[in-house]
Amino acid sequence: MSKKVFTIGRGENCDMVLADPSVSRMHAEVTVESPSRLNIKDCKSTRGTFVLRNGRAEKILHETISSHETLRFGTMDMAASELLRVFSPAGGTPDGQGRGHSGKRIRCECGAVRLADQPCSECGAR
């Protein structure tokens, strides 16, 4: 069984929409490799995809990332654990309904990732 590839970018057709001018329309592809590992592939983004390690931003083209690392898309930082929560088969929901596989996700004003058509679970914003 092949693994699902999710897209991150500014474009409306992406699985996770990051409404930030430093993020390319199609910025990166994400594949969940295990409950604690992601495969990240930069899609020739303008401002790059980075992993933050030892206080330094390392540009990556295609890399496996562990859950404790932080990624940077353009100038937006995001914990790998947050991507794992959003894109995992159960989507991190207690009922296991698979939020990770349905609906567009956006970064809320407060910084949390939420479904585009739902209020934010952290701050309540729509």
Side-chain angles (χ1 to χ4, degrees):
M1 182 177 192
S2 65
K3 296 177 181 171
K4 171 94 169 107
V5 176
F6 297 96
T7 55
I8 295 176
R10 204 177 66 244
E12 290 182 20
N13 60 331
C14 290
D15 295 303
M16 178 180 282
V17 177
L18 300 177
D20 184 279
S22 71
V23 176
S24 294
R25 281 186 208 94
M26 177 66 74
H27 200 99
E29 293 178 344
V30 177
T31 307
V32 177
E33 295 295 328
S34 75
S36 63
R37 297 185 80 69
L38 293 167
N39 191 302
I40 306 289
K41 179 184 174 194
D42 183 80
C43 294
K44 299 181 181 176
S45 63
T46 303
R47 293 193 176 90
T49 302
F50 300 83
V51 63
L52 305 179
R53 292 185 176 135
N54 303 319
R56 298 185 63 191
E58 298 176 15
K59 188 169 186 167
I60 59 173
L61 298 177
H62 197 177
E63 185 130 356
T64 300
I65 306 297
S66 62
S67 62
H68 68 276
E69 295 181 291
T70 300
L71 292 158
R72 178 172 292 157
F73 303 101
T75 61
M76 290 189 70
D77 291 355
M78 183 175 293
S81 59
E82 188 172 12
L83 291 173
L84 281 162
R85 180 184 59 81
V86 171
F87 292 135
S88 69
T93 59
D95 60 6
Q97 290 298 310
R99 184 181 72 212
H101 291 285
S102 62
K104 299 292 180 194
R105 286 163 266 337
I106 60 170
R107 168 100 42 196
C108 182
E109 311 159 348
C110 72
V113 175
R114 66 177 177 86
L115 289 169
D117 62 348
Q118 298 292 316
C120 177
S121 62
E122 299 293 320
C123 71
R126 281 199 157 266

